[in-house]
Amino acid sequence: MTKDISNSEPSTSNKDTVRLRPRFVPEADAEIRERICRRGELVKLIVLILKTVDLTTVPILQLTSEIRSIAQTTVDLPRELHRRLEKAALSRGTSMNAMVNSAVVAFGKKKSIRRDD
């Protein structure tokens, strides 16, 4: 079981948030970049995705060691959302990074289905 301790820390900007530094696989990165116009929207979108997607049932992406070569993205998550993400990752035996990527990809697929209707 992997825990992403090194990729999260208390945010220096707000005591109610925790800074998360996920690395997005190309599919997840493309999904996020397609949906945002301005930098500030990135955090809002990731928070929306993590609140919307059921973290207990989302299919988990298998991340490879190549993920380490991808630049990290810094996201300040609300502390409670960070706790839910961490708990889901621990209970599912995966990393928080895998959970974030899985949620983003699942969200994109769900939205793609709706756009095709």
Side-chain angles (χ1 to χ4, degrees):
M1 197 175 331
T2 306
K3 185 177 176 185
D4 278 339
I5 304 172
S6 62
N7 288 336
S8 61
E9 62 187 48
S11 171
T12 56
S13 62
N14 185 337
K15 66 181 180 181
D16 296 326
T17 63
V18 176
R19 184 159 290 150
L20 185 70
R21 292 191 177 97
R23 297 176 193 266
F24 291 110
V25 296
E27 184 179 3
D29 187 64
E31 183 59 44
I32 284 185
R33 304 294 172 195
E34 178 183 306
R35 294 178 185 277
I36 62 171
C37 298
R38 286 173 256 147
R39 189 177 182 112
E41 294 176 345
L42 176 68
V43 173
K44 291 177 185 176
L45 178 59
I46 292 173
V47 168
L48 170 72
I49 290 169
L50 292 174
K51 286 181 174 181
T52 304
V53 173
D54 184 351
L55 298 175
T56 63
T57 61
V58 66
I60 302 296
L61 295 176
Q62 297 302 315
L63 305 181
T64 66
S65 60
E66 293 172 3
I67 193 82
R68 295 193 191 299
S69 66
I70 298 172
Q72 292 178 328
T73 301
T74 301
V75 180
D76 289 336
L77 292 180
R79 194 167 293 282
E80 182 55 35
L81 183 57
H82 183 271
R83 280 190 207 111
R84 280 190 15 216
L85 177 63
E86 184 176 40
K87 182 179 176 182
L90 287 171
S91 71
R92 299 197 60 197
T94 193
S95 68
M96 290 172 39
N97 193 42
M99 290 298 302
V100 171
N101 275 277
S102 300
V104 169
V105 170
F107 183 84
K109 288 180 180 175
K110 184 172 145 184
K111 293 297 179 187
S112 293
I113 291 168
R114 288 187 182 159
R115 281 187 288 216
D116 293 341
D117 288 345

